[in-house]
Amino acid sequence: MTTSKSRHPGLRRPATSRGSWVLRALALGALPFLASCSRAGVIDPQGPIAAAEWLLMINATEIMLVVVVPVILATLGVAWWFRASNKRANHDPHFAYEGSIEFVTWSIPALVVILLGGVTWISSHQLDPRAPIASNTQPLRVDV
């Protein structure tokens, strides 16, 4: 009697192996990028106000990514370091509180919220709808 894991060594795996699933996932992930080639709607601002709002949205996204990307990387790093097979990881079950860790954990997001609020406040006041728009052309008069 053999100790082989497969009862039928002559049979092959079906065509839907792991490699084909990866290729399908990559193709599916590329579809949004291929579909967004034409510039329309929110992605294509027309005029100075829309361009300023687009810049505000990009700046806010970049500010938030400053926190999001390190948090995701730290989560993956902690999960990898404290995996069950890592014998070098030192876990103290009696660890209760560390003030410096708590300070960093709360101060960085608070500073990001303050920065984001300040950027949004300044930009929204620069885009005041009652303020005249700086332009080289004469304003269009519309009778309603």
Side-chain angles (χ1 to χ4, degrees):
M1 185 169 209
T2 63
T3 59
S4 174
K5 291 183 179 180
S6 174
R7 290 186 174 160
H8 306 287
L11 294 178
R12 293 184 159 208
R13 293 179 72 180
T16 58
S17 65
R18 182 177 178 176
S20 66
W21 283 105
V22 170
L23 288 176
R24 287 180 188 175
L26 286 174
L28 189 62
L31 284 178
F33 294 109
L34 294 173
S36 66
C37 288
S38 65
R39 294 177 52 124
V42 177
I43 302 172
D44 188 24
Q46 300 294 318
I49 302 297
E53 289 175 349
W54 171 253
L55 182 64
L56 174 62
M57 187 170 65
I58 294 298
N59 288 340
T61 303
E62 290 172 349
I63 290 169
M64 289 183 279
L65 284 176
V66 168
V67 172
V68 171
V69 171
V71 166
I72 291 172
L73 292 176
T75 302
L76 293 174
V78 167
W80 180 78
W81 179 254
F82 287 107
R83 67 190 186 278
S85 63
N86 188 5
K87 302 301 179 195
R88 294 183 300 151
N90 184 14
H91 174 68
D92 184 14
H94 302 293
F95 179 77
Y97 178 79
E98 182 66 39
S100 60
I101 294 175
E102 194 78 17
F103 177 75
V104 170
T105 303
W106 287 102
S107 65
I108 293 174
L111 290 173
V112 168
V113 168
I114 291 169
L115 176 66
L116 191 59
V119 167
T120 306
W121 177 275
I122 292 169
S123 296
S124 63
H125 282 284
Q126 289 174 347
L127 297 173
D128 185 15
R130 295 175 301 246
I133 300 172
S135 176
N136 295 335
T137 61
Q138 292 292 331
L140 177 65
R141 184 168 185 243
V142 178
D143 293 326
V144 179

